[in-house]
Coordinates of all heavy atoms in Angstrom, one line a residue:
M514 N -21.6 -10.7 18.1 CA -20.9 -9.4 17.9 C -20.5 -9.1 16.5 O -19.9 -10.0 15.9 CB -19.6 -9.4 18.9 CG -18.9 -8.1 18.8 SD -17.4 -8.2 19.7 CE -18.0 -8.2 21.5
R515 N -20.7 -7.9 16.0 CA -20.3 -7.6 14.7 C -18.8 -7.1 14.7 O -18.3 -6.8 15.7 CB -21.0 -6.3 14.2 CG -22.5 -6.6 14.0 CD -23.3 -5.4 13.4 NE -22.3 -4.2 13.4 CZ -22.7 -3.0 13.4 NH1 -24.0 -2.7 13.7 NH2 -21.9 -2.0 13.3
T516 N -18.2 -7.3 13.5 CA -16.7 -6.9 13.4 C -16.7 -5.8 12.4 O -17.4 -5.7 11.4 CB -15.9 -8.1 13.0 OG1 -16.4 -8.6 11.8 CG2 -15.8 -9.1 14.0
K517 N -15.8 -4.9 12.6 CA -15.4 -3.9 11.7 C -14.6 -4.3 10.5 O -13.5 -4.9 10.8 CB -14.7 -2.8 12.4 CG -14.5 -1.6 11.5 CD -13.8 -0.4 12.3 CE -13.4 0.7 11.4 NZ -12.7 1.7 12.1
R518 N -15.0 -4.3 9.3 CA -14.4 -4.8 8.2 C -13.8 -3.5 7.3 O -14.3 -2.5 7.5 CB -15.2 -5.6 7.3 CG -15.9 -6.8 8.0 CD -16.5 -7.6 7.1 NE -15.4 -8.4 6.4 CZ -15.4 -9.6 6.0 NH1 -16.6 -10.3 6.0 NH2 -14.4 -10.2 5.6
G519 N -12.7 -3.8 6.6 CA -12.2 -2.8 5.8 C -11.3 -1.8 6.5 O -10.9 -0.8 5.9
H520 N -10.8 -2.0 7.8 CA -9.9 -1.2 8.4 C -8.5 -1.4 7.8 O -8.1 -2.5 7.5 CB -9.8 -1.7 10.0 CG -8.8 -0.9 10.7 ND1 -9.0 0.4 11.0 CD2 -7.7 -1.3 11.3 CE1 -7.9 0.9 11.6 NE2 -7.0 -0.2 11.9
L521 N -7.9 -0.3 7.7 CA -6.6 -0.2 7.0 C -5.6 0.2 8.0 O -5.5 1.2 8.5 CB -6.6 0.7 5.8 CG -5.3 1.0 5.0 CD1 -4.9 -0.4 4.4 CD2 -5.4 2.0 3.9
D522 N -4.5 -0.6 8.2 CA -3.5 -0.4 9.2 C -2.4 0.1 8.4 O -2.0 -0.5 7.4 CB -3.1 -1.7 9.8 CG -2.0 -1.5 10.8 OD1 -2.2 -1.1 12.0 OD2 -0.8 -1.9 10.4
E523 N -1.7 1.2 8.8 CA -0.5 1.9 8.0 C 0.6 0.9 7.9 O 1.2 0.8 6.8 CB -0.2 3.2 8.9 CG 0.9 3.8 8.1 CD 1.4 5.2 8.8 OE1 0.8 5.5 9.9 OE2 2.2 5.8 8.2
D524 N 1.0 0.2 8.9 CA 2.1 -0.8 8.7 C 1.7 -1.9 7.8 O 2.7 -2.2 6.9 CB 2.5 -1.3 10.1 CG 3.1 -0.3 11.0 OD1 3.8 0.7 10.5 OD2 3.0 -0.5 12.3
D525 N 0.6 -2.3 7.8 CA 0.2 -3.4 6.9 C 0.2 -2.9 5.4 O 0.6 -3.6 4.5 CB -1.1 -3.9 7.3 CG -1.2 -4.9 8.4 OD1 -0.2 -5.3 8.8 OD2 -2.3 -5.1 9.1
F526 N -0.2 -1.7 5.3 CA -0.3 -1.0 4.0 C 1.1 -0.8 3.5 O 1.4 -1.2 2.3 CB -1.0 0.3 3.9 CG -0.9 0.9 2.6 CD1 -1.7 0.6 1.6 CD2 -0.2 2.0 2.4 CE1 -1.6 1.1 0.3 CE2 0.0 2.6 1.2 CZ -0.8 2.1 0.1
N527 N 2.1 -0.3 4.3 CA 3.5 -0.1 3.9 C 4.0 -1.4 3.5 O 4.8 -1.5 2.4 CB 4.3 0.6 4.9 CG 3.8 2.1 5.1 OD1 3.4 2.6 4.1 ND2 4.1 2.5 6.3
Q528 N 3.8 -2.5 4.2 CA 4.3 -3.8 3.9 C 3.8 -4.3 2.6 O 4.4 -5.0 1.7 CB 4.2 -4.9 5.0 CG 5.2 -4.5 6.2 CD 6.5 -4.6 5.9 OE1 7.0 -5.5 5.1 NE2 7.3 -3.7 6.4
A529 N 2.4 -4.2 2.4 CA 1.8 -4.7 1.1 C 2.2 -3.8 0.0 O 2.5 -4.4 -1.1 CB 0.3 -4.5 1.3
L530 N 2.4 -2.5 0.1 CA 2.9 -1.7 -1.1 C 4.3 -2.2 -1.3 O 4.6 -2.2 -2.5 CB 2.9 -0.2 -0.6 CG 3.3 0.8 -1.7 CD1 2.5 0.5 -3.0 CD2 3.3 2.1 -1.2
A531 N 5.3 -2.4 -0.4 CA 6.5 -2.8 -0.7 C 6.5 -4.1 -1.5 O 7.3 -4.4 -2.4 CB 7.4 -3.1 0.6
A532 N 5.6 -5.1 -1.0 CA 5.5 -6.4 -1.8 C 5.0 -6.1 -3.2 O 5.4 -6.9 -4.1 CB 4.5 -7.3 -1.0
E533 N 4.0 -5.3 -3.3 CA 3.5 -4.9 -4.7 C 4.5 -4.4 -5.6 O 4.7 -4.8 -6.7 CB 2.3 -4.0 -4.6 CG 1.0 -4.6 -4.1 CD 0.5 -5.7 -5.0 OE1 0.6 -5.5 -6.2 OE2 0.0 -6.6 -4.5
V534 N 5.4 -3.5 -5.1 CA 6.4 -2.9 -5.8 C 7.5 -4.0 -6.2 O 8.0 -4.0 -7.4 CB 7.1 -1.8 -5.0 CG1 8.4 -1.3 -5.7 CG2 6.1 -0.6 -4.9
R535 N 7.8 -4.8 -5.2 CA 8.8 -6.0 -5.6 C 8.3 -6.9 -6.6 O 9.0 -7.2 -7.6 CB 9.0 -6.8 -4.3 CG 10.0 -6.2 -3.2 CD 10.5 -7.2 -2.2 NE 9.4 -7.8 -1.5 CZ 8.8 -7.4 -0.5 NH1 9.1 -6.3 0.2 NH2 7.8 -8.2 0.1
A536 N 7.0 -7.2 -6.6 CA 6.4 -8.0 -7.6 C 6.4 -7.3 -8.9 O 6.6 -7.8 -10.1 CB 4.8 -8.4 -7.3
L537 N 6.1 -6.0 -9.0 CA 6.0 -5.1 -10.2 C 7.5 -5.2 -10.8 O 7.6 -5.3 -12.0 CB 5.6 -3.7 -9.9 CG 5.6 -2.7 -10.9 CD1 4.7 -3.0 -12.1 CD2 5.2 -1.4 -10.4
L538 N 8.4 -4.8 -10.0 CA 9.8 -4.8 -10.5 C 10.2 -6.2 -11.0 O 11.0 -6.2 -12.0 CB 10.7 -4.3 -9.4 CG 10.4 -2.7 -9.0 CD1 11.2 -2.4 -7.7 CD2 10.9 -1.9 -10.1
A539 N 9.9 -7.2 -10.4 CA 10.1 -8.5 -10.9 C 9.6 -8.8 -12.2 O 10.2 -9.4 -13.1 CB 9.8 -9.6 -9.7
R540 N 8.4 -8.5 -12.4 CA 7.7 -8.6 -13.7 C 8.4 -7.8 -14.8 O 8.4 -8.3 -16.0 CB 6.2 -8.3 -13.6 CG 5.4 -9.2 -12.9 CD 3.9 -8.9 -13.1 NE 3.4 -7.6 -12.6 CZ 3.1 -7.4 -11.4 NH1 3.0 -8.3 -10.4 NH2 2.7 -6.1 -11.0
H541 N 9.0 -6.7 -14.4 CA 9.8 -5.8 -15.4 C 11.3 -6.2 -15.4 O 12.0 -5.4 -16.1 CB 9.5 -4.4 -15.1 CG 8.2 -4.0 -15.6 ND1 6.9 -4.1 -14.8 CD2 7.8 -3.5 -16.7 CE1 6.0 -3.7 -15.5 NE2 6.4 -3.2 -16.6
R542 N 11.6 -7.2 -14.8 CA 13.1 -7.6 -14.6 C 13.9 -6.5 -14.1 O 15.0 -6.3 -14.8 CB 13.5 -8.3 -15.9 CG 12.8 -9.4 -16.2 CD 13.4 -10.3 -17.4 NE 12.8 -11.6 -17.6 CZ 11.7 -11.8 -18.6 NH1 11.4 -10.9 -19.3 NH2 11.3 -13.1 -18.5
K543 N 13.6 -5.8 -13.1 CA 14.4 -4.7 -12.5 C 14.8 -5.1 -11.2 O 14.1 -5.9 -10.4 CB 13.5 -3.4 -12.5 CG 12.9 -3.0 -13.7 CD 14.1 -2.5 -14.7 CE 13.5 -2.0 -16.1 NZ 14.4 -1.8 -17.0
V544 N 16.0 -4.6 -10.7 CA 16.6 -5.0 -9.5 C 16.7 -3.6 -8.6 O 16.5 -2.5 -9.1 CB 17.9 -5.6 -9.6 CG1 17.7 -7.1 -10.2 CG2 18.9 -5.0 -10.4
Q545 N 17.1 -3.8 -7.4 CA 17.2 -2.6 -6.5 C 18.1 -1.5 -7.1 O 17.9 -0.4 -7.0 CB 17.7 -3.0 -5.1 CG 16.8 -3.9 -4.3 CD 17.4 -4.2 -3.0 OE1 18.3 -3.5 -2.4 NE2 17.0 -5.3 -2.4
A546 N 19.2 -2.0 -7.7 CA 20.2 -1.0 -8.2 C 19.5 -0.2 -9.3 O 19.8 1.0 -9.5 CB 21.5 -1.8 -8.7
D547 N 18.7 -0.8 -10.2 CA 18.0 -0.2 -11.1 C 17.1 1.0 -10.6 O 17.0 2.2 -11.1 CB 17.1 -1.0 -12.1 CG 17.9 -2.2 -12.8 OD1 19.0 -1.9 -13.3 OD2 17.3 -3.3 -13.0
V548 N 16.4 0.6 -9.6 CA 15.5 1.5 -8.9 C 16.2 2.7 -8.3 O 16.0 3.8 -8.5 CB 14.6 0.8 -7.8 CG1 13.9 1.8 -7.1 CG2 13.8 -0.3 -8.4
A549 N 17.4 2.4 -7.5 CA 18.2 3.5 -7.1 C 18.7 4.4 -8.2 O 18.6 5.6 -8.0 CB 19.3 2.9 -6.3
R550 N 19.2 3.9 -9.1 CA 19.6 4.8 -10.3 C 18.4 5.6 -10.9 O 18.7 6.8 -11.1 CB 20.2 4.0 -11.4 CG 21.7 3.6 -11.3 CD 22.3 3.1 -12.4 NE 21.7 1.8 -12.9 CZ 21.9 0.6 -12.4 NH1 22.8 0.4 -11.5 NH2 21.3 -0.5 -12.9
Q551 N 17.4 5.0 -11.1 CA 16.3 5.7 -11.7 C 15.7 6.8 -10.9 O 15.4 7.9 -11.4 CB 15.2 4.7 -12.1 CG 14.0 5.3 -12.8 CD 14.4 5.9 -14.3 OE1 15.3 5.4 -14.9 NE2 13.7 6.8 -14.7
L552 N 15.7 6.5 -9.6 CA 15.1 7.5 -8.7 C 16.1 8.4 -8.1 O 15.8 9.3 -7.2 CB 14.3 6.8 -7.6 CG 13.1 6.0 -8.1 CD1 12.4 5.3 -6.9 CD2 12.1 6.8 -8.9
G553 N 17.4 8.3 -8.3 CA 18.5 9.1 -7.7 C 18.6 8.9 -6.3 O 18.8 9.9 -5.5
M554 N 18.5 7.7 -5.7 CA 18.7 7.5 -4.3 C 19.9 6.5 -4.2 O 20.3 5.8 -5.1 CB 17.4 6.9 -3.7 CG 17.0 5.6 -4.3 SD 15.5 4.9 -3.4 CE 14.3 6.2 -3.5
K555 N 20.3 6.5 -3.1 CA 21.6 5.6 -2.7 C 20.9 4.2 -2.6 O 19.8 3.9 -2.4 CB 22.1 6.0 -1.3 CG 22.8 7.3 -1.4 CD 23.4 7.6 0.0 CE 24.1 9.0 -0.2 NZ 24.9 9.3 1.0
P556 N 21.8 3.2 -3.0 CA 21.4 1.7 -2.9 C 20.7 1.3 -1.6 O 19.9 0.6 -1.6 CB 22.7 1.0 -3.2 CG 23.6 2.0 -4.0 CD 23.1 3.4 -3.4
N557 N 21.4 1.8 -0.4 CA 20.6 1.4 0.8 C 19.4 1.9 1.0 O 18.5 1.4 1.6 CB 21.5 1.7 2.0 CG 21.8 3.2 2.2 OD1 21.7 4.0 1.3 ND2 22.2 3.6 3.5
A558 N 19.0 3.1 0.4 CA 17.7 3.7 0.5 C 16.7 2.9 -0.3 O 15.7 2.7 0.1 CB 17.7 5.2 0.1
A559 N 17.2 2.4 -1.4 CA 16.3 1.5 -2.3 C 16.0 0.3 -1.5 O 15.0 -0.3 -1.5 CB 16.9 1.4 -3.6
S560 N 17.1 -0.2 -0.9 CA 17.0 -1.5 -0.2 C 16.0 -1.4 1.0 O 15.2 -2.3 1.3 CB 18.4 -2.0 0.3 OG 18.4 -3.1 1.2
F561 N 16.1 -0.4 1.7 CA 15.0 -0.1 2.9 C 13.7 -0.1 2.4 O 12.8 -0.7 3.0 CB 15.4 1.2 3.7 CG 16.6 1.0 4.5 CD1 17.2 2.1 5.0 CD2 17.2 -0.2 4.8 CE1 18.3 2.1 5.9 CE2 18.4 -0.3 5.6 CZ 18.8 0.9 6.2
R562 N 13.4 0.7 1.2 CA 12.0 0.6 0.7 C 11.7 -0.8 0.1 O 10.5 -1.2 0.2 CB 12.0 1.6 -0.4 CG 12.0 3.0 0.1 CD 12.3 4.2 -0.9 NE 12.3 5.4 -0.4 CZ 13.2 6.0 0.4 NH1 14.3 5.2 0.8 NH2 13.1 7.2 0.9
W563 N 12.6 -1.5 -0.5 CA 12.3 -2.8 -1.1 C 12.0 -3.8 0.0 O 11.0 -4.6 -0.2 CB 13.7 -3.3 -1.7 CG 13.7 -4.5 -2.5 CD1 13.6 -5.8 -2.2 CD2 13.7 -4.6 -4.0 NE1 13.6 -6.7 -3.2 CE2 13.6 -5.9 -4.4 CE3 13.6 -3.6 -5.0 CZ2 13.6 -6.3 -5.7 CZ3 13.6 -4.0 -6.3 CH2 13.6 -5.4 -6.7
Q564 N 12.5 -3.6 1.2 CA 12.2 -4.5 2.3 C 11.0 -4.0 3.1 O 10.6 -4.7 4.0 CB 13.4 -4.5 3.3 CG 14.7 -5.3 2.7 CD 15.9 -5.0 3.5 OE1 15.7 -5.1 4.8 NE2 17.0 -4.6 3.0
G565 N 10.6 -2.9 2.7 CA 9.3 -2.3 3.6 C 9.8 -1.7 4.9 O 9.0 -1.3 5.8
K566 N 11.1 -1.4 5.1 CA 11.5 -0.8 6.4 C 11.3 0.7 6.3 O 11.1 1.3 7.4 CB 13.0 -1.1 6.5 CG 13.2 -2.5 6.9 CD 14.8 -2.6 7.0 CE 15.2 -4.1 7.4 NZ 16.6 -4.3 7.6
T567 N 11.4 1.2 5.2 CA 11.0 2.7 4.8 C 9.9 2.8 3.8 O 9.9 2.1 2.8 CB 12.2 3.5 4.2 OG1 13.4 3.4 5.2 CG2 11.9 4.9 4.0
P568 N 8.9 3.4 4.2 CA 7.7 3.5 3.2 C 8.0 4.2 1.9 O 8.9 5.1 2.0 CB 6.6 4.3 4.0 CG 7.1 4.3 5.4 CD 8.5 4.2 5.4
W569 N 7.5 3.8 0.8 CA 7.6 4.5 -0.4 C 6.8 5.8 -0.3 O 5.6 5.8 0.1 CB 7.0 3.7 -1.5 CG 7.8 2.4 -1.9 CD1 7.7 1.2 -1.5 CD2 9.0 2.5 -2.9 NE1 8.6 0.5 -2.0 CE2 9.5 1.2 -2.9 CE3 9.6 3.5 -3.6 CZ2 10.6 0.8 -3.7 CZ3 10.7 3.1 -4.4 CH2 11.2 1.7 -4.5
S570 N 7.5 6.9 -0.7 CA 6.7 8.2 -0.8 C 5.8 8.1 -2.1 O 6.1 7.4 -3.0 CB 7.7 9.3 -0.9 OG 8.2 9.5 -2.1
L571 N 4.8 9.0 -2.0 CA 3.9 9.1 -3.2 C 4.7 9.5 -4.5 O 4.5 8.9 -5.6 CB 2.7 10.0 -2.9 CG 1.8 10.1 -4.0 CD1 1.1 8.8 -4.5 CD2 0.7 11.2 -3.7
A572 N 5.7 10.4 -4.3 CA 6.4 11.0 -5.4 C 7.3 9.8 -6.0 O 7.3 9.7 -7.2 CB 7.2 12.1 -5.0
E573 N 7.9 9.0 -5.2 CA 8.7 7.8 -5.5 C 7.9 6.9 -6.2 O 8.3 6.4 -7.2 CB 9.4 7.3 -4.3 CG 10.5 8.2 -3.7 CD 10.9 7.6 -2.4 OE1 10.3 6.7 -1.8 OE2 11.9 8.0 -1.8
L574 N 6.7 6.6 -5.7 CA 5.8 5.6 -6.3 C 5.5 6.0 -7.8 O 5.5 5.3 -8.7 CB 4.7 5.3 -5.5 CG 3.7 4.3 -6.1 CD1 4.5 2.8 -6.1 CD2 2.5 4.0 -5.1
L575 N 5.0 7.4 -7.8 CA 4.7 7.9 -9.1 C 5.8 7.9 -10.1 O 5.5 7.4 -11.3 CB 4.1 9.3 -8.9 CG 2.8 9.4 -8.2 CD1 2.4 10.9 -7.9 CD2 1.7 8.9 -8.9
L576 N 6.9 8.3 -9.8 CA 8.1 8.2 -10.7 C 8.4 6.8 -11.1 O 8.6 6.6 -12.2 CB 9.4 8.8 -10.0 CG 9.3 10.4 -9.8 CD1 10.4 10.7 -8.9 CD2 9.4 11.0 -11.2
L577 N 8.3 5.8 -10.1 CA 8.6 4.4 -10.4 C 7.6 3.8 -11.4 O 7.9 3.3 -12.4 CB 8.5 3.6 -9.2 CG 8.9 2.2 -9.2 CD1 10.4 2.0 -9.5 CD2 8.6 1.4 -7.8
C578 N 6.3 4.1 -11.2 CA 5.2 3.7 -12.1 C 5.2 4.3 -13.5 O 5.0 3.6 -14.5 CB 3.9 3.9 -11.5 SG 3.6 2.8 -10.0
D579 N 5.6 5.6 -13.5 CA 5.9 6.2 -14.8 C 6.9 5.6 -15.5 O 6.9 5.5 -16.8 CB 6.1 7.8 -14.6 CG 6.1 8.5 -15.8 OD1 5.2 8.4 -16.6 OD2 7.1 9.2 -16.1
W580 N 8.0 5.4 -14.8 CA 9.3 4.6 -15.4 C 8.9 3.3 -16.1 O 9.3 3.0 -17.2 CB 10.3 4.6 -14.4 CG 11.5 3.7 -14.9 CD1 12.3 4.0 -15.9 CD2 12.2 2.7 -14.0 NE1 13.4 3.0 -16.0 CE2 13.3 2.4 -14.8 CE3 11.9 2.2 -12.8 CZ2 14.2 1.4 -14.3 CZ3 12.9 1.2 -12.2 CH2 13.9 0.9 -13.1
L581 N 8.0 2.6 -15.4 CA 7.6 1.2 -15.8 C 6.3 1.2 -16.7 O 5.9 0.2 -17.1 CB 7.4 0.3 -14.6 CG 8.7 0.1 -13.7 CD1 8.4 -0.6 -12.4 CD2 9.8 -0.5 -14.5
D582 N 5.8 2.4 -16.8 CA 4.6 2.6 -17.7 C 3.4 1.8 -17.1 O 2.8 1.0 -17.8 CB 4.8 2.3 -19.2 CG 3.8 2.8 -20.0 OD1 3.2 3.8 -19.7 OD2 3.5 2.1 -21.0
V583 N 3.3 1.9 -15.8 CA 2.1 1.3 -15.1 C 1.3 2.3 -14.3 O 1.8 3.4 -14.0 CB 2.5 0.1 -14.2 CG1 3.3 -1.0 -14.9 CG2 3.4 0.6 -13.0
D584 N 0.0 2.0 -14.1 CA -0.9 2.7 -13.4 C -0.6 2.8 -12.0 O -0.9 1.7 -11.3 CB -2.3 2.4 -13.8 CG -3.4 3.4 -13.2 OD1 -2.9 4.3 -12.4 OD2 -4.6 3.2 -13.4
A585 N -0.2 3.9 -11.3 CA 0.0 3.9 -9.9 C -1.2 3.6 -9.1 O -1.1 2.9 -8.1 CB 0.7 5.3 -9.5
A586 N -2.3 4.0 -9.5 CA -3.6 3.8 -8.8 C -3.7 2.3 -8.6 O -4.3 1.8 -7.6 CB -4.8 4.5 -9.4
E587 N -3.5 1.5 -9.7 CA -3.7 0.1 -9.6 C -2.7 -0.6 -8.6 O -3.1 -1.5 -7.9 CB -3.3 -0.6 -11.0 CG -4.6 -0.3 -12.0 CD -4.3 -0.8 -13.4 OE1 -3.6 -1.7 -13.4 OE2 -5.1 -0.4 -14.3
V588 N -1.4 -0.1 -8.5 CA -0.5 -0.6 -7.6 C -1.0 -0.2 -6.1 O -1.0 -1.1 -5.3 CB 0.9 0.1 -7.7 CG1 1.9 -0.4 -6.7 CG2 1.4 -0.4 -9.2
I589 N -1.4 1.0 -5.9 CA -2.0 1.4 -4.5 C -3.1 0.7 -4.2 O -3.3 0.1 -3.1 CB -2.2 2.8 -4.5 CG1 -0.8 3.7 -4.7 CG2 -3.0 3.3 -3.3 CD1 -1.0 5.2 -4.9
S590 N -4.1 0.5 -5.1 CA -5.3 -0.3 -4.9 C -5.1 -1.8 -4.5 O -5.6 -2.3 -3.5 CB -6.2 -0.2 -6.1 OG -7.4 -0.9 -5.9
A591 N -4.1 -2.4 -5.3 CA -3.8 -3.8 -4.9 C -3.0 -3.8 -3.5 O -3.5 -4.8 -2.8 CB -2.7 -4.4 -6.0
A592 N -2.3 -2.8 -3.2 CA -1.6 -2.9 -1.9 C -2.7 -2.7 -0.8 O -2.6 -3.3 0.3 CB -0.6 -1.8 -1.8
K593 N -3.6 -1.7 -1.1 CA -4.8 -1.6 0.0 C -5.5 -2.8 0.2 O -5.8 -3.1 1.3 CB -5.6 -0.3 -0.4 CG -6.7 -0.2 0.5 CD -7.6 1.0 -0.1 CE -8.8 1.1 0.9 NZ -9.7 2.1 0.4
A594 N -5.8 -3.5 -1.0 CA -6.7 -4.7 -0.9 C -5.9 -5.8 0.0 O -6.4 -6.4 0.9 CB -7.0 -5.3 -2.2
A595 N -4.7 -5.9 -0.3 CA -3.8 -7.0 0.5 C -3.6 -6.5 2.0 O -3.7 -7.4 2.8 CB -2.4 -6.9 -0.2
A596 N -3.6 -5.2 2.2 CA -3.4 -4.6 3.6 C -4.6 -5.0 4.4 O -4.5 -5.4 5.5 CB -2.9 -3.3 3.6
V597 N -5.7 -4.7 3.7 CA -7.0 -4.8 4.5 C -7.3 -6.3 4.7 O -7.8 -6.6 5.7 CB -8.2 -4.2 3.6 CG1 -9.6 -4.6 4.3 CG2 -8.2 -2.7 3.7
A598 N -7.0 -7.2 3.8 CA -7.1 -8.6 3.9 C -6.3 -9.1 5.2 O -6.8 -10.1 5.7 CB -6.7 -9.3 2.7
R599 N -5.1 -8.6 5.3 CA -4.4 -9.1 6.4 C -4.4 -8.4 7.8 O -4.0 -8.8 8.8 CB -2.9 -9.2 6.0 CG -2.2 -7.9 5.8 CD -0.9 -7.9 5.1 NE 0.2 -7.8 5.9 CZ 1.5 -7.8 5.3 NH1 1.6 -7.9 4.0 NH2 2.5 -7.5 6.1
T600 N -5.3 -7.3 7.8 CA -5.5 -6.7 9.0 C -6.5 -7.3 9.8 O -7.7 -7.6 9.3 CB -5.9 -5.1 8.8 OG1 -4.8 -4.5 8.0 CG2 -6.1 -4.4 10.1
P601 N -6.2 -7.6 11.1 CA -7.3 -8.3 11.9 C -8.5 -7.6 12.0 O -8.5 -6.3 12.2 CB -6.6 -8.5 13.3 CG -5.2 -8.3 13.0 CD -5.0 -7.5 11.9
Q602 N -9.7 -8.2 12.1 CA -10.9 -7.5 12.3 C -11.1 -7.1 13.7 O -10.5 -7.7 14.6 CB -12.1 -8.4 11.9 CG -12.2 -8.9 10.4 CD -13.2 -9.8 10.1 OE1 -14.0 -10.1 10.9 NE2 -13.4 -10.0 8.8
T603 N -11.7 -5.9 13.9 CA -11.9 -5.4 15.2 C -13.3 -5.4 15.5 O -14.2 -5.2 14.6 CB -11.2 -4.1 15.4 OG1 -11.9 -3.1 14.4 CG2 -9.7 -4.1 15.3
P604 N -13.7 -5.5 16.7 CA -15.1 -5.3 17.1 C -15.6 -4.1 16.8 O -15.0 -3.1 17.0 CB -15.1 -5.6 18.7 CG -13.9 -6.2 19.0 CD -12.9 -5.9 17.9
A605 N -16.9 -4.1 16.2 CA -17.5 -2.7 15.7 C -18.1 -2.2 17.1 O -18.5 -2.8 18.0 CB -18.5 -2.9 14.8
V606 N -18.3 -0.8 17.0 CA -18.8 -0.1 18.2 C -20.3 -0.3 18.0 O -20.8 0.2 16.9 CB -18.3 1.4 18.3 CG1 -19.1 2.1 19.4 CG2 -16.9 1.4 18.4
S607 N -21.0 -0.6 18.9 CA -22.5 -0.7 18.8 C -23.0 0.3 19.8 O -22.7 0.6 20.9 CB -23.0 -2.1 19.1 OG -22.6 -2.5 20.3
N608 N -24.3 0.9 19.3 CA -24.9 1.9 20.1 C -26.0 1.2 21.0 O -26.6 0.3 20.7 CB -25.6 2.9 19.2 CG -24.5 3.7 18.4 OD1 -23.4 3.8 19.0 ND2 -24.9 4.3 17.3

């Protein structure tokens, strides 16, 4: 039986994106409070995004990447690759 590869699960992507953002912020020595101030959000909103409980919006991600001078496409691509890698393979439909 063939399996379908490359399937992207939304929850897996959101968790992978949160992990990518945490790693990015750690490399830049930034903490949740820095993010909240920079993006004009309440600390608990930043915390929910940090933990992956609330997805990052595209606008928030673009602002964050601009602030840190990183390519948002690379962050998204890395998150997508991580999410696809952790999504279980499903049987492909055969004709």
Side-chain angles (χ1 to χ4, degrees):
M514 177 185 290
R515 292 184 357 211
T516 57
K517 181 179 177 184
R518 303 193 79 148
H520 174 72
L521 182 61
D522 179 80
E523 183 177 0
D524 291 332
D525 286 342
F526 176 76
N527 289 333
Q528 289 300 315
L530 183 58
E533 286 297 322
V534 169
R535 284 192 305 271
L537 174 65
L538 293 167
R540 287 192 298 274
H541 285 85
R542 295 189 172 104
K543 303 293 183 190
V544 295
Q545 288 179 33
D547 298 326
V548 173
R550 274 191 302 277
Q551 184 64 30
L552 298 181
M554 64 177 54
K555 294 183 179 185
N557 64 334
S560 177
F561 286 166
R562 284 162 180 78
W563 193 277
Q564 298 171 42
K566 292 180 181 177
T567 299
W569 287 95
S570 74
L571 180 57
E573 292 165 346
L574 184 62
L575 291 173
L576 288 169
L577 186 70
C578 289
D579 186 55
W580 174 49
L581 299 173
D582 195 28
V583 297
D584 185 359
E587 290 180 14
V588 175
I589 292 168
S590 180
K593 179 183 176 186
V597 168
R599 65 196 255 184
T600 300
Q602 295 179 357
T603 58
V606 177
S607 51
N608 295 337

